[in-house]
């Protein structure tokens, strides 16, 4: 799992920065000078660069990623950012599937314990998270998915998920068939939920 520790002081300027990304060209390198050219002249604004790296918009050396380019498409920008947030802050979504400001205390506590942060820093990390969240759509983002391929050969394979091995007998499948199955799993720590899903798959897919 993951929990980004990047934060910015001017969280009210997060929407402004995201609009600049959408409306401007993709730079060869995202630099402090570019921030200044966009009107982000405060030294506090420099923290936007590590934040963009944390959510996968920039590589370690500041080069814009494919996600950066995809975000510039207004028709999918909120979903792109939603996916970025789910990846960068996946531990938060174990606390609440759709976090709101009512969960602020629990989220601050998570940042504090995970990063051994002070109360002040944990609060800034939380404000930054909610600043990003307000600009994103996480409802359309798949929570978690795995891919299972049932081979055409008559054999037995074991697929592992969350440390649990699931044995599947393929003895009755035709050699000419090949299935690709996409499964969207709920975010839960209850292993029995996953066991029930795979048990149902076995009953319906294997004679």
């Amino acid at each position: 799992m993951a929990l980004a520790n990047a934060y910015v002081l001017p969280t009210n300027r997060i929407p402004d920065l995201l609009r600049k990304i959408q409306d401007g060209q993709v730079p060869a390198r995202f630099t402090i000078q570019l921030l200044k050219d966009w009107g982000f002249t405060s030294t506090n604004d420099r923290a936007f660069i590590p934040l963009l790296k944390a959510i996968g918009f920039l590589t370690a050396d500041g080069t814009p990623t494919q996600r950066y380019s995809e975000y510039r498409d207004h028709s999918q920008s909120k979903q792109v950012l939603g996916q970025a947030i789910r990846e960068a802050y996946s531990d938060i979504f174990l606390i609440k599937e759709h976090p709101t400001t009512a969960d602020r205390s629990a989220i601050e506590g998570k940042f504090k314990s995970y990063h051994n942060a002070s109360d002040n820093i944990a609060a800034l990390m939380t404000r930054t998270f909610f600043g990003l969240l307000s600009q994103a759509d996480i409802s359309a983002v798949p929570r978690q998915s795995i891919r299972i391929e049932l081979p055409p050969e008559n054999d037995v394979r074991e697929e592992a998920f969350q440390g649990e091995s699931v044995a599947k007998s393929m003895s009755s499948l035709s050699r000419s068939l090949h299935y690709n199955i996409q499964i969207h799993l709920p975010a839960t720590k209850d292993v029995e939920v996953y066991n029930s899903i795979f048990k149902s798959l076995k009953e319906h897919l294997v004679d």
Side-chain angles (χ1 to χ4, degrees), residues 16-62:
D16 298 333
L17 177 71
L18 294 175
R19 278 193 294 270
K20 289 292 186 179
I21 291 175
Q22 285 183 320
D23 297 337
Q25 293 182 327
V26 179
R29 189 74 59 84
F30 200 101
T31 63
I32 293 174
Q33 184 58 51
L34 178 62
L35 282 175
K36 291 180 179 178
D37 292 342
W38 283 356
F40 294 83
T41 56
S42 169
T43 54
N44 290 332
D45 295 332
R46 298 178 183 181
F48 279 116
I49 293 179
L51 178 61
L52 291 174
K53 292 178 181 179
I55 62 174
F57 275 41
L58 303 175
T59 63
D61 67 354

mmCIF file of all heavy atoms in Angstrom, residues 16-62:
data_model
loop_
_atom_site.group_PDB
_atom_site.id
_atom_site.type_symbol
_atom_site.label_atom_id
_atom_site.label_comp_id
_atom_site.label_asym_id
_atom_site.label_seq_id
_atom_site.Cartn_x
_atom_site.Cartn_y
_atom_site.Cartn_z
ATOM 1 N N ASP A 16 -5.636 26.179 -8.924
ATOM 2 C CA ASP A 16 -4.954 27.051 -9.882
ATOM 3 C C ASP A 16 -3.840 26.301 -10.606
ATOM 4 O O ASP A 16 -3.676 26.424 -11.830
ATOM 5 C CB ASP A 16 -4.361 28.268 -9.176
ATOM 6 C CG ASP A 16 -5.423 29.130 -8.515
ATOM 7 O OD1 ASP A 16 -6.571 29.111 -8.984
ATOM 8 O OD2 ASP A 16 -5.101 29.816 -7.518
ATOM 9 N N LEU A 17 -3.063 25.529 -9.856
ATOM 10 C CA LEU A 17 -1.964 24.780 -10.463
ATOM 11 C C LEU A 17 -2.501 23.753 -11.451
ATOM 12 O O LEU A 17 -1.979 23.611 -12.566
ATOM 13 C CB LEU A 17 -1.155 24.073 -9.377
ATOM 14 C CG LEU A 17 -0.017 23.183 -9.902
ATOM 15 C CD1 LEU A 17 1.108 24.040 -10.457
ATOM 16 C CD2 LEU A 17 0.498 22.261 -8.815
ATOM 17 N N LEU A 18 -3.548 23.048 -11.066
ATOM 18 C CA LEU A 18 -4.108 22.021 -11.942
ATOM 19 C C LEU A 18 -4.667 22.636 -13.226
ATOM 20 O O LEU A 18 -4.552 22.038 -14.309
ATOM 21 C CB LEU A 18 -5.187 21.229 -11.205
ATOM 22 C CG LEU A 18 -4.683 20.385 -10.025
ATOM 23 C CD1 LEU A 18 -5.851 19.747 -9.289
ATOM 24 C CD2 LEU A 18 -3.712 19.310 -10.504
ATOM 25 N N ARG A 19 -5.259 23.823 -13.125
ATOM 26 C CA ARG A 19 -5.753 24.502 -14.332
ATOM 27 C C ARG A 19 -4.602 24.885 -15.246
ATOM 28 O O ARG A 19 -4.715 24.803 -16.484
ATOM 29 C CB ARG A 19 -6.567 25.736 -13.948
ATOM 30 C CG ARG A 19 -8.006 25.425 -13.561
ATOM 31 C CD ARG A 19 -8.847 26.692 -13.501
ATOM 32 N NE ARG A 19 -8.417 27.575 -12.422
ATOM 33 C CZ ARG A 19 -8.899 27.514 -11.188
ATOM 34 N NH1 ARG A 19 -9.817 26.610 -10.879
ATOM 35 N NH2 ARG A 19 -8.483 28.350 -10.257
ATOM 36 N N LYS A 20 -3.486 25.317 -14.669
ATOM 37 C CA LYS A 20 -2.320 25.663 -15.486
ATOM 38 C C LYS A 20 -1.812 24.437 -16.237
ATOM 39 O O LYS A 20 -1.400 24.527 -17.397
ATOM 40 C CB LYS A 20 -1.207 26.226 -14.593
ATOM 41 C CG LYS A 20 -1.474 27.613 -14.035
ATOM 42 C CD LYS A 20 -1.462 28.667 -15.129
ATOM 43 C CE LYS A 20 -1.574 30.052 -14.540
ATOM 44 N NZ LYS A 20 -1.549 31.109 -15.611
ATOM 45 N N ILE A 21 -1.829 23.281 -15.570
ATOM 46 C CA ILE A 21 -1.394 22.042 -16.219
ATOM 47 C C ILE A 21 -2.316 21.711 -17.377
ATOM 48 O O ILE A 21 -1.870 21.316 -18.472
ATOM 49 C CB ILE A 21 -1.366 20.886 -15.202
ATOM 50 C CG1 ILE A 21 -0.233 21.106 -14.193
ATOM 51 C CG2 ILE A 21 -1.192 19.535 -15.911
ATOM 52 C CD1 ILE A 21 -0.196 20.087 -13.071
ATOM 53 N N GLN A 22 -3.621 21.879 -17.168
ATOM 54 C CA GLN A 22 -4.588 21.570 -18.215
ATOM 55 C C GLN A 22 -4.461 22.498 -19.411
ATOM 56 O O GLN A 22 -4.567 22.070 -20.559
ATOM 57 C CB GLN A 22 -6.010 21.664 -17.656
ATOM 58 C CG GLN A 22 -6.421 20.500 -16.773
ATOM 59 C CD GLN A 22 -7.856 20.624 -16.321
ATOM 60 O OE1 GLN A 22 -8.327 21.721 -16.000
ATOM 61 N NE2 GLN A 22 -8.564 19.513 -16.294
ATOM 62 N N ASP A 23 -4.251 23.769 -19.141
ATOM 63 C CA ASP A 23 -4.307 24.771 -20.205
ATOM 64 C C ASP A 23 -2.971 25.013 -20.894
ATOM 65 O O ASP A 23 -2.927 25.575 -21.991
ATOM 66 C CB ASP A 23 -4.825 26.104 -19.637
ATOM 67 C CG ASP A 23 -6.254 25.980 -19.110
ATOM 68 O OD1 ASP A 23 -6.965 25.059 -19.551
ATOM 69 O OD2 ASP A 23 -6.632 26.792 -18.246
ATOM 70 N N GLY A 24 -1.872 24.625 -20.254
ATOM 71 C CA GLY A 24 -0.564 24.866 -20.852
ATOM 72 C C GLY A 24 -0.057 23.664 -21.644
ATOM 73 O O GLY A 24 -0.673 22.592 -21.648
ATOM 74 N N GLN A 25 1.042 23.862 -22.335
ATOM 75 C CA GLN A 25 1.679 22.766 -23.045
ATOM 76 C C GLN A 25 2.450 21.887 -22.053
ATOM 77 O O GLN A 25 2.770 22.314 -20.951
ATOM 78 C CB GLN A 25 2.636 23.300 -24.113
ATOM 79 C CG GLN A 25 1.942 24.028 -25.248
ATOM 80 C CD GLN A 25 2.928 24.487 -26.307
ATOM 81 O OE1 GLN A 25 4.075 24.827 -26.011
ATOM 82 N NE2 GLN A 25 2.492 24.486 -27.554
ATOM 83 N N VAL A 26 2.737 20.683 -22.479
ATOM 84 C CA VAL A 26 3.533 19.791 -21.635
ATOM 85 C C VAL A 26 4.993 20.223 -21.731
ATOM 86 O O VAL A 26 5.576 20.207 -22.818
ATOM 87 C CB VAL A 26 3.394 18.320 -22.080
ATOM 88 C CG1 VAL A 26 4.252 17.415 -21.192
ATOM 89 C CG2 VAL A 26 1.935 17.880 -22.032
ATOM 90 N N PRO A 27 5.609 20.632 -20.634
ATOM 91 C CA PRO A 27 7.008 21.079 -20.695
ATOM 92 C C PRO A 27 7.965 19.898 -20.784
ATOM 93 O O PRO A 27 7.619 18.778 -20.415
ATOM 94 C CB PRO A 27 7.184 21.819 -19.361
ATOM 95 C CG PRO A 27 6.271 21.088 -18.432
ATOM 96 C CD PRO A 27 5.072 20.700 -19.254
ATOM 97 N N ALA A 28 9.147 20.155 -21.266
ATOM 98 C CA ALA A 28 10.158 19.102 -21.303
ATOM 99 C C ALA A 28 10.559 18.716 -19.879
ATOM 100 O O ALA A 28 10.840 17.548 -19.586
ATOM 101 C CB ALA A 28 11.383 19.580 -22.082
ATOM 102 N N ARG A 29 10.557 19.695 -18.999
ATOM 103 C CA ARG A 29 10.897 19.481 -17.594
ATOM 104 C C ARG A 29 10.090 20.469 -16.754
ATOM 105 O O ARG A 29 9.987 21.646 -17.121
ATOM 106 C CB ARG A 29 12.390 19.689 -17.378
ATOM 107 C CG ARG A 29 12.915 19.282 -16.011
ATOM 108 C CD ARG A 29 13.009 17.781 -15.855
ATOM 109 N NE ARG A 29 13.876 17.168 -16.832
ATOM 110 C CZ ARG A 29 15.202 17.076 -16.730
ATOM 111 N NH1 ARG A 29 15.816 17.580 -15.679
ATOM 112 N NH2 ARG A 29 15.898 16.468 -17.665
ATOM 113 N N PHE A 30 9.522 19.991 -15.666
ATOM 114 C CA PHE A 30 8.738 20.858 -14.791
ATOM 115 C C PHE A 30 9.688 21.445 -13.756
ATOM 116 O O PHE A 30 10.221 20.733 -12.903
ATOM 117 C CB PHE A 30 7.630 20.059 -14.105
ATOM 118 C CG PHE A 30 6.516 20.904 -13.575
ATOM 119 C CD1 PHE A 30 5.328 21.025 -14.261
ATOM 120 C CD2 PHE A 30 6.667 21.589 -12.377
ATOM 121 C CE1 PHE A 30 4.284 21.813 -13.767
ATOM 122 C CE2 PHE A 30 5.643 22.390 -11.867
ATOM 123 C CZ PHE A 30 4.445 22.493 -12.574
ATOM 124 N N THR A 31 9.888 22.747 -13.814
ATOM 125 C CA THR A 31 10.914 23.390 -12.992
ATOM 126 C C THR A 31 10.323 24.489 -12.102
ATOM 127 O O THR A 31 9.178 24.915 -12.277
ATOM 128 C CB THR A 31 11.997 24.016 -13.878
ATOM 129 O OG1 THR A 31 11.378 25.048 -14.683
ATOM 130 C CG2 THR A 31 12.620 22.970 -14.788
ATOM 131 N N ILE A 32 11.154 24.975 -11.186
ATOM 132 C CA ILE A 32 10.767 26.104 -10.350
ATOM 133 C C ILE A 32 10.520 27.333 -11.209
ATOM 134 O O ILE A 32 9.595 28.114 -10.951
ATOM 135 C CB ILE A 32 11.854 26.385 -9.296
ATOM 136 C CG1 ILE A 32 11.938 25.229 -8.299
ATOM 137 C CG2 ILE A 32 11.582 27.692 -8.568
ATOM 138 C CD1 ILE A 32 13.079 25.356 -7.305
ATOM 139 N N GLN A 33 11.315 27.494 -12.268
ATOM 140 C CA GLN A 33 11.128 28.641 -13.162
ATOM 141 C C GLN A 33 9.760 28.583 -13.840
ATOM 142 O O GLN A 33 9.112 29.622 -14.028
ATOM 143 C CB GLN A 33 12.238 28.680 -14.218
ATOM 144 C CG GLN A 33 12.173 29.897 -15.132
ATOM 145 C CD GLN A 33 12.241 31.202 -14.352
ATOM 146 O OE1 GLN A 33 13.125 31.403 -13.529
ATOM 147 N NE2 GLN A 33 11.295 32.104 -14.605
ATOM 148 N N LEU A 34 9.323 27.387 -14.196
ATOM 149 C CA LEU A 34 7.995 27.248 -14.800
ATOM 150 C C LEU A 34 6.913 27.681 -13.805
ATOM 151 O O LEU A 34 5.963 28.381 -14.178
ATOM 152 C CB LEU A 34 7.750 25.808 -15.235
ATOM 153 C CG LEU A 34 6.370 25.521 -15.842
ATOM 154 C CD1 LEU A 34 6.160 26.339 -17.112
ATOM 155 C CD2 LEU A 34 6.209 24.034 -16.144
ATOM 156 N N LEU A 35 7.066 27.283 -12.550
ATOM 157 C CA LEU A 35 6.122 27.715 -11.524
ATOM 158 C C LEU A 35 6.086 29.248 -11.443
ATOM 159 O O LEU A 35 5.010 29.856 -11.351
ATOM 160 C CB LEU A 35 6.499 27.132 -10.166
ATOM 161 C CG LEU A 35 6.143 25.665 -9.904
ATOM 162 C CD1 LEU A 35 6.707 25.224 -8.557
ATOM 163 C CD2 LEU A 35 4.629 25.454 -9.924
ATOM 164 N N LYS A 36 7.254 29.868 -11.471
ATOM 165 C CA LYS A 36 7.323 31.331 -11.406
ATOM 166 C C LYS A 36 6.637 31.956 -12.611
ATOM 167 O O LYS A 36 5.914 32.957 -12.479
ATOM 168 C CB LYS A 36 8.778 31.783 -11.330
ATOM 169 C CG LYS A 36 9.468 31.445 -10.014
ATOM 170 C CD LYS A 36 10.917 31.941 -10.013
ATOM 171 C CE LYS A 36 11.599 31.633 -8.688
ATOM 172 N NZ LYS A 36 13.025 32.080 -8.694
ATOM 173 N N ASP A 37 6.859 31.374 -13.793
ATOM 174 C CA ASP A 37 6.228 31.890 -15.010
ATOM 175 C C ASP A 37 4.713 31.790 -14.928
ATOM 176 O O ASP A 37 3.988 32.584 -15.546
ATOM 177 C CB ASP A 37 6.723 31.119 -16.237
ATOM 178 C CG ASP A 37 8.197 31.373 -16.532
ATOM 179 O OD1 ASP A 37 8.741 32.376 -16.015
ATOM 180 O OD2 ASP A 37 8.803 30.562 -17.257
ATOM 181 N N TRP A 38 4.225 30.806 -14.182
ATOM 182 C CA TRP A 38 2.784 30.613 -14.009
ATOM 183 C C TRP A 38 2.218 31.481 -12.878
ATOM 184 O O TRP A 38 1.030 31.457 -12.613
ATOM 185 C CB TRP A 38 2.482 29.152 -13.715
ATOM 186 C CG TRP A 38 2.523 28.265 -14.921
ATOM 187 C CD1 TRP A 38 2.715 28.643 -16.211
ATOM 188 C CD2 TRP A 38 2.352 26.842 -14.934
ATOM 189 N NE1 TRP A 38 2.671 27.540 -17.047
ATOM 190 C CE2 TRP A 38 2.453 26.431 -16.290
ATOM 191 C CE3 TRP A 38 2.140 25.886 -13.955
ATOM 192 C CZ2 TRP A 38 2.341 25.088 -16.669
ATOM 193 C CZ3 TRP A 38 2.021 24.550 -14.326
ATOM 194 C CH2 TRP A 38 2.110 24.156 -15.671
ATOM 195 N N GLY A 39 3.081 32.235 -12.205
ATOM 196 C CA GLY A 39 2.613 33.096 -11.135
ATOM 197 C C GLY A 39 2.769 32.516 -9.744
ATOM 198 O O GLY A 39 2.323 33.118 -8.757
ATOM 199 N N PHE A 40 3.433 31.378 -9.644
ATOM 200 C CA PHE A 40 3.672 30.755 -8.329
ATOM 201 C C PHE A 40 5.079 31.157 -7.877
ATOM 202 O O PHE A 40 6.028 30.394 -8.005
ATOM 203 C CB PHE A 40 3.540 29.236 -8.435
ATOM 204 C CG PHE A 40 2.148 28.768 -8.762
ATOM 205 C CD1 PHE A 40 1.691 28.747 -10.071
ATOM 206 C CD2 PHE A 40 1.283 28.369 -7.750
ATOM 207 C CE1 PHE A 40 0.399 28.330 -10.382
ATOM 208 C CE2 PHE A 40 -0.007 27.950 -8.032
ATOM 209 C CZ PHE A 40 -0.454 27.937 -9.357
ATOM 210 N N THR A 41 5.171 32.351 -7.356
ATOM 211 C CA THR A 41 6.488 32.937 -7.088
ATOM 212 C C THR A 41 6.974 32.758 -5.649
ATOM 213 O O THR A 41 8.134 33.017 -5.354
ATOM 214 C CB THR A 41 6.451 34.440 -7.414
ATOM 215 O OG1 THR A 41 5.396 35.057 -6.660
ATOM 216 C CG2 THR A 41 6.197 34.664 -8.903
ATOM 217 N N SER A 42 6.097 32.351 -4.751
ATOM 218 C CA SER A 42 6.494 32.176 -3.353
ATOM 219 C C SER A 42 7.383 30.942 -3.209
ATOM 220 O O SER A 42 7.243 29.963 -3.944
ATOM 221 C CB SER A 42 5.255 32.022 -2.478
ATOM 222 O OG SER A 42 5.604 31.607 -1.174
ATOM 223 N N THR A 43 8.297 31.002 -2.249
ATOM 224 C CA THR A 43 9.134 29.825 -2.002
ATOM 225 C C THR A 43 8.282 28.643 -1.530
ATOM 226 O O THR A 43 8.645 27.491 -1.744
ATOM 227 C CB THR A 43 10.200 30.146 -0.940
ATOM 228 O OG1 THR A 43 9.568 30.654 0.240
ATOM 229 C CG2 THR A 43 11.198 31.166 -1.467
ATOM 230 N N ASN A 44 7.144 28.928 -0.911
ATOM 231 C CA ASN A 44 6.244 27.856 -0.486
ATOM 232 C C ASN A 44 5.662 27.088 -1.674
ATOM 233 O O ASN A 44 5.293 25.919 -1.550
ATOM 234 C CB ASN A 44 5.093 28.418 0.358
ATOM 235 C CG ASN A 44 5.545 28.901 1.721
ATOM 236 O OD1 ASN A 44 6.529 28.411 2.277
ATOM 237 N ND2 ASN A 44 4.843 29.886 2.266
ATOM 238 N N ASP A 45 5.574 27.780 -2.823
ATOM 239 C CA ASP A 45 4.997 27.143 -4.013
ATOM 240 C C ASP A 45 5.902 26.048 -4.581
ATOM 241 O O ASP A 45 5.431 25.194 -5.345
ATOM 242 C CB ASP A 45 4.738 28.194 -5.099
ATOM 243 C CG ASP A 45 3.677 29.201 -4.683
ATOM 244 O OD1 ASP A 45 2.808 28.829 -3.867
ATOM 245 O OD2 ASP A 45 3.716 30.342 -5.174
ATOM 246 N N ARG A 46 7.167 26.056 -4.220
ATOM 247 C CA ARG A 46 8.081 25.048 -4.746
ATOM 248 C C ARG A 46 7.689 23.635 -4.323
ATOM 249 O O ARG A 46 8.041 22.645 -4.967
ATOM 250 C CB ARG A 46 9.511 25.346 -4.293
ATOM 251 C CG ARG A 46 10.034 26.690 -4.798
ATOM 252 C CD ARG A 46 11.436 26.976 -4.278
ATOM 253 N NE ARG A 46 11.908 28.288 -4.708
ATOM 254 C CZ ARG A 46 13.102 28.789 -4.424
ATOM 255 N NH1 ARG A 46 13.945 28.064 -3.682
ATOM 256 N NH2 ARG A 46 13.444 29.990 -4.851
ATOM 257 N N ALA A 47 6.940 23.539 -3.234
ATOM 258 C CA ALA A 47 6.515 22.222 -2.740
ATOM 259 C C ALA A 47 5.518 21.547 -3.680
ATOM 260 O O ALA A 47 5.234 20.352 -3.534
ATOM 261 C CB ALA A 47 5.895 22.367 -1.351
ATOM 262 N N PHE A 48 5.000 22.296 -4.660
ATOM 263 C CA PHE A 48 4.095 21.677 -5.625
ATOM 264 C C PHE A 48 4.821 20.630 -6.485
ATOM 265 O O PHE A 48 4.199 19.672 -6.952
ATOM 266 C CB PHE A 48 3.472 22.734 -6.535
ATOM 267 C CG PHE A 48 2.309 23.453 -5.909
ATOM 268 C CD1 PHE A 48 2.378 24.812 -5.654
ATOM 269 C CD2 PHE A 48 1.163 22.762 -5.560
ATOM 270 C CE1 PHE A 48 1.311 25.476 -5.070
ATOM 271 C CE2 PHE A 48 0.088 23.416 -4.975
ATOM 272 C CZ PHE A 48 0.155 24.782 -4.727
ATOM 273 N N ILE A 49 6.110 20.815 -6.685
ATOM 274 C CA ILE A 49 6.853 19.876 -7.530
ATOM 275 C C ILE A 49 6.934 18.492 -6.886
ATOM 276 O O ILE A 49 6.581 17.491 -7.533
ATOM 277 C CB ILE A 49 8.252 20.437 -7.872
ATOM 278 C CG1 ILE A 49 8.093 21.668 -8.774
ATOM 279 C CG2 ILE A 49 9.108 19.367 -8.562
ATOM 280 C CD1 ILE A 49 9.399 22.332 -9.160
ATOM 281 N N PRO A 50 7.374 18.356 -5.629
ATOM 282 C CA PRO A 50 7.344 17.020 -5.023
ATOM 283 C C PRO A 50 5.928 16.450 -4.897
ATOM 284 O O PRO A 50 5.739 15.229 -4.937
ATOM 285 C CB PRO A 50 7.993 17.222 -3.648
ATOM 286 C CG PRO A 50 8.057 18.688 -3.429
ATOM 287 C CD PRO A 50 8.079 19.327 -4.759
ATOM 288 N N LEU A 51 4.917 17.312 -4.771
ATOM 289 C CA LEU A 51 3.544 16.812 -4.723
ATOM 290 C C LEU A 51 3.152 16.192 -6.064
ATOM 291 O O LEU A 51 2.544 15.114 -6.106
ATOM 292 C CB LEU A 51 2.580 17.950 -4.370
ATOM 293 C CG LEU A 51 1.093 17.559 -4.331
ATOM 294 C CD1 LEU A 51 0.838 16.495 -3.270
ATOM 295 C CD2 LEU A 51 0.231 18.794 -4.077
ATOM 296 N N LEU A 52 3.517 16.848 -7.168
ATOM 297 C CA LEU A 52 3.217 16.305 -8.493
ATOM 298 C C LEU A 52 3.976 14.999 -8.736
ATOM 299 O O LEU A 52 3.473 14.099 -9.425
ATOM 300 C CB LEU A 52 3.567 17.336 -9.573
ATOM 301 C CG LEU A 52 2.673 18.578 -9.627
ATOM 302 C CD1 LEU A 52 3.214 19.578 -10.645
ATOM 303 C CD2 LEU A 52 1.233 18.204 -9.963
ATOM 304 N N LYS A 53 5.148 14.883 -8.157
ATOM 305 C CA LYS A 53 5.894 13.632 -8.259
ATOM 306 C C LYS A 53 5.186 12.538 -7.463
ATOM 307 O O LYS A 53 5.098 11.385 -7.908
ATOM 308 C CB LYS A 53 7.322 13.819 -7.745
ATOM 309 C CG LYS A 53 8.188 14.716 -8.625
ATOM 310 C CD LYS A 53 9.578 14.894 -8.043
ATOM 311 C CE LYS A 53 10.433 15.821 -8.912
ATOM 312 N NZ LYS A 53 11.792 16.023 -8.346
ATOM 313 N N ALA A 54 4.652 12.899 -6.305
ATOM 314 C CA ALA A 54 4.003 11.921 -5.436
ATOM 315 C C ALA A 54 2.763 11.317 -6.077
ATOM 316 O O ALA A 54 2.441 10.144 -5.869
ATOM 317 C CB ALA A 54 3.641 12.560 -4.097
ATOM 318 N N ILE A 55 2.042 12.110 -6.881
ATOM 319 C CA ILE A 55 0.828 11.602 -7.513
ATOM 320 C C ILE A 55 1.067 11.102 -8.938
ATOM 321 O O ILE A 55 0.115 10.843 -9.676
ATOM 322 C CB ILE A 55 -0.295 12.661 -7.498
ATOM 323 C CG1 ILE A 55 0.104 13.903 -8.295
ATOM 324 C CG2 ILE A 55 -0.674 13.019 -6.070
ATOM 325 C CD1 ILE A 55 -1.019 14.934 -8.436
ATOM 326 N N GLY A 56 2.332 10.976 -9.312
ATOM 327 C CA GLY A 56 2.664 10.359 -10.583
ATOM 328 C C GLY A 56 2.527 11.253 -11.798
ATOM 329 O O GLY A 56 2.461 10.758 -12.930
ATOM 330 N N PHE A 57 2.504 12.561 -11.599
ATOM 331 C CA PHE A 57 2.452 13.485 -12.733
ATOM 332 C C PHE A 57 3.854 13.787 -13.268
ATOM 333 O O PHE A 57 3.998 14.189 -14.425
ATOM 334 C CB PHE A 57 1.781 14.799 -12.324
ATOM 335 C CG PHE A 57 0.277 14.771 -12.397
ATOM 336 C CD1 PHE A 57 -0.434 13.664 -11.979
ATOM 337 C CD2 PHE A 57 -0.431 15.859 -12.883
ATOM 338 C CE1 PHE A 57 -1.821 13.624 -12.037
ATOM 339 C CE2 PHE A 57 -1.820 15.842 -12.952
ATOM 340 C CZ PHE A 57 -2.517 14.725 -12.527
ATOM 341 N N LEU A 58 4.857 13.616 -12.416
ATOM 342 C CA LEU A 58 6.247 13.879 -12.796
ATOM 343 C C LEU A 58 7.118 12.716 -12.374
ATOM 344 O O LEU A 58 6.842 12.039 -11.371
ATOM 345 C CB LEU A 58 6.765 15.154 -12.127
ATOM 346 C CG LEU A 58 6.016 16.471 -12.366
ATOM 347 C CD1 LEU A 58 6.642 17.576 -11.507
ATOM 348 C CD2 LEU A 58 6.039 16.851 -13.837
ATOM 349 N N THR A 59 8.179 12.486 -13.136
ATOM 350 C CA THR A 59 9.173 11.501 -12.731
ATOM 351 C C THR A 59 10.092 12.133 -11.691
ATOM 352 O O THR A 59 9.968 13.318 -11.362
ATOM 353 C CB THR A 59 10.012 11.034 -13.928
ATOM 354 O OG1 THR A 59 10.740 12.165 -14.447
ATOM 355 C CG2 THR A 59 9.135 10.459 -15.027
ATOM 356 N N ALA A 60 11.036 11.358 -11.183
ATOM 357 C CA ALA A 60 11.939 11.858 -10.143
ATOM 358 C C ALA A 60 12.746 13.070 -10.613
ATOM 359 O O ALA A 60 13.103 13.938 -9.802
ATOM 360 C CB ALA A 60 12.881 10.746 -9.699
ATOM 361 N N ASP A 61 13.048 13.147 -11.907
ATOM 362 C CA ASP A 61 13.839 14.275 -12.407
ATOM 363 C C ASP A 61 12.972 15.422 -12.934
ATOM 364 O O ASP A 61 13.480 16.369 -13.526
ATOM 365 C CB ASP A 61 14.824 13.816 -13.485
ATOM 366 C CG ASP A 61 14.131 13.350 -14.759
ATOM 367 O OD1 ASP A 61 12.882 13.267 -14.777
ATOM 368 O OD2 ASP A 61 14.837 13.045 -15.737
ATOM 369 N N GLY A 62 11.653 15.331 -12.720
ATOM 370 C CA GLY A 62 10.772 16.420 -13.117
ATOM 371 C C GLY A 62 10.201 16.317 -14.513
ATOM 372 O O GLY A 62 9.538 17.258 -14.983
#
